[in-house]
């Protein structure tokens, strides 16, 4: 695309014509784009973008982005710095999917630093889609992933503090408050990419809800709940209280709504409305967020409550770490 434009510009200049207007909406990497949930999505996008910029696959890009988030030692809800469950055990959930319907997932995985890569190995090296718990760990080790204790001192301290009340009460956008002075939103990293060939892929990785029951699995590793991708239509991912996404097969729903002609933002909004219609009272006190991209790379998002942000990166001019506020049903950010 870039070469063609340069050729046209050179031809028109030679003919004395005006230079073609800059086509700002046409990324130089042929329409490649990556989007990620929350403000830490900026870092994930920065890790994913070089893959797309050199013509790599959307699948490699989302894995690179998710691995960045899993290694981020500032993030108490994703990867190795995640908060543990109520028994003090850190369990990780992740999934990966490409637009051809290939997918893999792991749930309740312990002591393996990169669950998204284990999920990819499940997808590529087994006839299965999901492995859980001890079986997922056994598979990971057999694939060469190193088993290493992951719970950080700060996560252990936060858990000990939580034990004083032992109250499981997820709060809207409140996992950011688990560390003194921590000002960022912390939830699941959901990442969606479109590569220069127009292929889509997505990944989702999380330590789940802090202080959950041991063995609890959220939406993130469940294909159709926390993540869904279809090259014919688009891709969607989710963050927030995963039980709501599972109840509504929500990421699948968002993609199917786009299939019916809805824009990404509109599809996310309708999925949020379903959550509200099913559980109007509960939805006042919990956060649910959707992020979607259609096959053309258009992006949209919607949340139940104010405070959900997502990051966009592509080859368009300007800052490459654009953070966008998602619209929401409830406008007041709850603390
Ligand atoms: N969706 C994740 C889960 O329920 C957590 C989150 O995104 O906040 O495990």
């Amino acid at each position: 695309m870039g070469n063609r434009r340069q050729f046209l510009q050179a031809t028109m200049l030679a003919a004395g014509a005006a230079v073609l207007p800059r086509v700002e909406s046409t990324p130089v990497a042929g329409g490649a784009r990556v989007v990620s949930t929350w403000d830490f999505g900026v870092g994930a996008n920065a890790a994913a973008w070089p893959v797309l910029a050199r013509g790599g696959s959307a699948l490699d890009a989302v894995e690179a982005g998710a691995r960045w988030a899993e290694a981020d030692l500032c993030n108490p809800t994703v990867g190795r710095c995640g908060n543990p469950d109520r028994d003090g055990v850190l369990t990780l959930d992740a999934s990966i999917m490409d637009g051809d319907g290939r997918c893999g997932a792991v749930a309740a995985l312990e002591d393996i630093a990169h669950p998204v890569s284990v999920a990819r190995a499940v997808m590529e090296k087994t006839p299965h889609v999901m492995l859980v718990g001890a079986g997922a760990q056994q598979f990971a080790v057999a694939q060469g992933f190193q088993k290493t204790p992951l719970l950080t001192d700060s996560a252990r301290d936060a858990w000990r503090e939580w034990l004083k009340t032992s109250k499981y009460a997820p709060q809207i956008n409140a996992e950011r408050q688990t560390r003194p002075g921590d000002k960022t939103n912390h939830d699941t990293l959901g990442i969606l990419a479109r590569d220069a060939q127009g292929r889509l892929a997505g990944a989702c990785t999380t330590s789940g809800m802090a202080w959950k029951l041991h063995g609890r699995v959220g939406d993130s590793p469940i294909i159709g709940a926390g993540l869904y991708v279809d090259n014919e239509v688009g891709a969607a991912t989710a963050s927030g209280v995963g039980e709501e996404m599972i109840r509504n097969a929500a990421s699948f729903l968002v993609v199917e709504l786009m299939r019916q002609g809805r824009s990404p933002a509109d599809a996310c909004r309708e999925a949020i409305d379903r959550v509200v219609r099913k559980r109007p009272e509960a939805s006042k006190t919990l956060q649910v967020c959707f992020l979607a991209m259609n096959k053309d790379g258009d992006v949209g998002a919607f949340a139940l409550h104010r405070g959900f942000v997502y990051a966009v990166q592509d080859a368009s001019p300007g800052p490459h770490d654009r953070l966008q506020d998602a619209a929401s049903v409830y406008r007041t950010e709850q603390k």
Side-chain angles (χ1 to χ4, degrees):
M1 175 87 60
N3 285 345
R4 184 169 170 272
R5 199 161 61 230
Q6 280 157 16
F7 169 73
L8 283 172
Q9 285 182 353
T11 312
M12 292 175 80
L13 275 175
V19 177
L20 282 180
R22 195 181 178 93
V23 185
E24 303 222 322
S25 60
T26 307
V28 290
R33 175 172 279 174
V34 58
V35 294
S36 293
T37 53
W38 302 108
D39 41 11
F40 49 78
V42 170
N45 287 355
W49 180 250
V51 179
L52 296 174
R54 64 173 177 262
S57 72
L59 189 67
D60 287 343
V62 296
E63 184 186 9
R67 285 177 65 93
W68 178 88
E70 288 169 345
D72 179 7
L73 283 174
C74 301
N75 192 333
T77 62
V78 177
R80 55 191 302 179
C81 195
N83 279 326
D85 61 25
R86 58 181 284 167
D87 296 340
V89 181
L90 175 63
T91 60
L92 302 177
D93 297 341
S95 62
I96 193 163
M97 184 168 193
D98 76 12
D100 293 329
R102 299 189 313 149
C103 50
V106 288
L109 179 63
E110 293 178 32
D111 294 336
I112 302 286
H114 286 297
V116 73
S117 295
V118 185
R120 184 166 177 174
V122 172
M123 173 176 101
E124 291 179 336
K125 299 189 174 154
T126 81
H128 309 305
V129 166
M130 181 188 265
L131 295 177
V132 305
Q137 189 190 66
Q138 185 185 350
F139 168 75
V141 170
Q143 290 296 315
F145 291 87
Q146 207 187 338
K147 189 177 158 193
T148 174
L150 292 181
L151 193 66
T152 61
D153 290 345
S154 55
R156 189 178 291 106
D157 290 348
W159 170 64
R160 287 196 177 123
E161 192 58 34
W162 174 79
L163 279 177
K164 290 179 185 166
T165 56
S166 300
K167 193 171 162 219
Y168 181 77
Q171 290 175 304
I172 296 162
N173 303 333
E175 293 198 336
R176 76 176 88 179
Q177 296 160 11
T178 51
R179 297 274 143 61
D182 188 347
K183 299 237 177 355
T184 56
N185 285 306
H186 292 290
D187 277 282
T188 295
L189 186 277
I191 179 168
L192 309 173
R194 180 187 195 273
D195 64 29
Q197 287 78 46
R199 297 169 301 190
L200 303 175
C204 210
T205 184
T206 188
S207 52
M209 305 303 291
W211 335 131
K212 61 195 174 186
L213 281 175
H214 186 63
R216 178 263 188 190
V217 172
D219 60 309
S220 308
I222 297 180
I223 299 299
L227 179 69
Y228 198 73
V229 186
D230 185 337
N231 275 339
E232 284 182 5
V233 181
T237 189
S239 184
V241 177
E243 282 74 7
E244 304 309 314
M245 281 66 117
I246 296 170
R247 286 187 178 104
N248 290 282
S251 289
F252 179 72
L253 172 62
V254 170
V255 171
E256 290 309 297
L257 288 164
M258 289 194 289
R259 194 188 302 277
Q260 291 164 20
R262 306 284 192 105
S263 70
D266 219 32
C268 291
R269 178 169 189 136
E270 171 61 26
I272 291 284
D273 283 350
R274 299 256 179 122
V275 172
V276 177
R277 288 207 293 277
K278 263 189 196 151
R279 304 216 316 138
E281 274 315 302
S283 68
K284 289 180 188 157
T285 59
L286 51 83
Q287 179 62 304
V288 174
C289 320
F290 297 121
L291 175 62
M293 176 158 66
N294 67 18
K295 65 178 179 174
D296 298 323
D298 301 325
V299 177
F302 210 83
L304 244 182
H305 294 268
R306 193 175 159 202
F308 176 47
V309 293
Y310 60 98
V312 182
Q313 181 153 0
D314 55 30
S316 58
H320 294 303
D321 54 355
R322 302 193 301 277
L323 261 188
Q324 315 272 353
D325 277 311
S328 58
V329 174
Y330 298 105
R331 304 298 155 89
T332 312
E333 191 166 348
Q334 321 252 329
K335 300 271 174 164

